[in-house]
Amino acid sequence: MVMEHHYLTYIAALEEELRQKNNKLSLVEETESFLPSALARAEENRGCMLGARP
């Protein structure tokens, strides 16, 4: 019974670690999908600002 409790505790800890890693991976994926469009907008804004110089 004690050994079974140990394994259940261990499995719960692994599940929590997996959830945390999954959340981090989701943030990385969101960032990777956001960066190209953010970079493109920054380049467009930079071009507009440079083009506005006399």
Side-chain angles (χ1 to χ4, degrees):
M1 189 75 152
V2 172
M3 192 65 126
E4 182 179 328
H5 178 71
H6 171 73
Y7 283 120
L8 292 175
T9 302
Y10 180 67
I11 289 170
L14 289 175
E15 288 175 334
E16 179 59 27
E17 186 178 337
L18 183 59
R19 266 192 294 277
Q20 290 176 4
K21 288 183 179 184
N22 189 45
N23 288 340
K24 288 178 183 178
L25 180 59
S26 293
L27 289 173
V28 168
E29 290 171 342
E30 288 176 24
T31 301
E32 286 178 339
S33 67
F34 168 76
L35 284 177
S37 62
L39 181 59
R41 283 193 307 273
E43 288 295 323
E44 287 174 9
N45 288 338
R46 182 174 177 256
C48 290
M49 292 175 65
L50 290 176
R53 289 185 180 172

